[in-house]
DNA sequence: CACAACATGTAAGATGTTACATGATTGA
DNA sequence: TCAATCATGTAACATCTTACATGTTGTG
């Protein structure tokens, strides 16, 4: 995924502390892009080691300490060049476990295979309903990016569904 | 990805040696799913440690030794239960670097953002042409799975394209 | 003879998940 | 007071990529 770039992008606007980065990120992403502390804090440390960010411990309320991170000049230009390069690469990945499992579809008997694909279609429909409902609830206040993400999910769910329907017909 | 399951699936049909697994897999997958030796051999060792496969060194032509792997009973049932479970999970992931970069679209000026999306669209069209051409070349001898994979790629490229077109219109 | 293809690996690092561990503050 | 939320981390493991290292065999 590269949480690294997400962090740099947030810090490129203003300094943040770790917990806050997780909150902000997940607020934007909903359940589509979770971040674990087990990845967040080591990544922040690594970024500091590489001099892309600096860390400063500040006193919060009473005895609570926060580690506030700021982006450095190096970090900022590193982020910018990454951002500019994104338009040049197409990185659609279709390497998932379900796709792999279809590799072995020939070994099932016809009805078992059909059942598998039909069950999958149902699961896809369910997900689709879920995200479509979520999408309808969005208002003008919903961040533009969150809407776009959900829309992307819906379009790719459509694609997956269409693919499986084609496979089912071919059986 | 879980190369692990791909290996078990191949071995569930008949024993194979490492090099052969890579050849077979990539013959099926084309460039859509490459496998490196740096992952293959350690994975085979791990599977042997976990008693999901057994290894036997056989003499090939002259001085060439091959390590032939066979699936065990444990391995076979482990694979089967994995296979059965695939229909239950929907794992569409939209967590890629480009999607992340759009998170920061608001910080670009309008024309820069439009340029970014248009460049991306061109790249997508190019990829699409490439896979569409490949798809047309497939014959009755082409493994069913390879066709399905390319078709899946084309459908998801469509989805991605549509998404970006929508974003461009919204700008 | 040179080069492609066959055959097997290791080492280092990137990236991510899950589970564990600790402690303060706020609100019901 | 008890639970939720705030706040920071570590350890173990899983997965994968890239680069390096070694040697044989077949073909033009």
């Amino acid at each position: 995924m590269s949480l690294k770039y997400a962090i740099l992008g947030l810090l490129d606007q203003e300094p943040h502390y770790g917990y806050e980065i997780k909150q902000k990120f997940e607020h934007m992403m909903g359940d589509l892009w979770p971040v674990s502390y087990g990845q967040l804090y080591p990544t922040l440390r690594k970024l500091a080691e590489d001099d892309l960010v600096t860390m400063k411990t500040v006193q919060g309320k009473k005895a609570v300490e926060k580690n506030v991170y700021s982006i450095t000049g190096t970090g900022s230009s590193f982020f910018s060049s990454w951002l500019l390069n994104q338009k040049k690469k197409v990185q659609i990945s279709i390497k998932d476990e379900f796709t792999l499992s279809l590799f072995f579809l020939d070994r099932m008997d016809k009805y078992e295979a059909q059942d598998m694909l039909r069950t999958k279609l149902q699961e896809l429909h369910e997900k689709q309903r879920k995200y479509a409902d979520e999408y309808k609830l969005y208002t003008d206040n919903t961040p533009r990016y969150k809407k776009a993400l959900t829309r992307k999910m819906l379009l790719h769910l459509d694609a997956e569904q269409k693919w499986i329907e084609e496979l089912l017909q071919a059986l």
Side-chain angles (χ1 to χ4, degrees), chain A residues 140-168:
Chain A
D140 290 344
N141 291 331
T142 309
R144 185 150 63 133
Y145 189 74
K146 197 168 185 175
K147 289 181 202 166
L149 247 201
T150 306
R151 185 73 188 122
K152 177 170 177 157
M153 183 50 114
L154 284 169
L155 287 168
H156 282 277
L157 282 169
D158 274 344
E160 193 74 1
Q161 204 182 296
K162 196 172 168 190
W163 183 54
I164 294 177
E165 275 163 4
E166 284 182 14
L167 286 174
L168 204 49

Side-chain angles (χ1 to χ4, degrees), chain A residues 21-162:
Chain A
I21 289 172
K22 188 175 188 288
Q23 298 308 101
K24 274 208 181 181
F25 197 71
E26 293 189 339
H27 180 248
M28 289 300 210
M29 305 304 187
D31 60 348
L32 292 170
W33 203 322
V35 177
S36 68
Y37 292 121
Q39 194 191 355
L40 179 65
Y41 290 115
T43 304
L44 281 168
R45 202 206 311 137
K46 179 100 191 358
L47 286 171
E49 277 166 15
D50 295 346
D51 292 321
L52 300 176
V53 305
T54 55
M55 195 262 269
K56 201 180 147 192
T57 303
V58 301
Q59 211 60 235
K61 304 231 169 155
K62 302 204 175 166
V64 181
E65 287 192 342
K66 298 175 187 179
N67 296 336
V68 175
Y69 293 85
S70 310
I71 200 163
T72 62
T74 318
S76 195
S77 43
F78 179 74
F79 175 71
S80 295
S81 74
W82 170 78
L83 193 56
L84 278 175
N85 273 305
Q86 289 315 305
K87 59 183 172 190
K88 291 181 198 158
K89 321 183 271 180
V90 173
Q91 266 293 30
I92 304 281
S93 176
I94 57 174
K95 295 157 54 178
D96 57 88
E97 290 197 7
F98 174 68
T99 304
L100 178 64
S101 74
L102 293 186
F103 189 88
F104 307 108
L105 202 68
D106 298 335
R107 265 179 257 174
M108 299 182 198
D109 63 69
K110 196 180 163 182
Y111 299 106
E112 207 180 348
Q114 285 181 339
D115 172 63
M116 178 157 193
L117 294 176
R118 288 207 189 98
T119 306
K120 193 68 178 193
L121 265 184
Q122 275 176 5
E123 298 290 327
L124 282 169
H125 278 125
E126 229 169 273
K127 278 262 160 156
Q128 209 156 30
R129 211 176 311 123
K130 184 192 151 195
Y131 287 114
D133 289 348
E134 223 170 87
Y135 196 76
K136 278 177 208 150
L137 290 177
Y138 291 158
T139 64
D140 290 344
N141 291 331
T142 309
R144 185 150 63 133
Y145 189 74
K146 197 168 185 175
K147 289 181 202 166
L149 247 201
T150 306
R151 185 73 188 122
K152 177 170 177 157
M153 183 50 114
L154 284 169
L155 287 168
H156 282 277
L157 282 169
D158 274 344
E160 193 74 1
Q161 204 182 296
K162 196 172 168 190

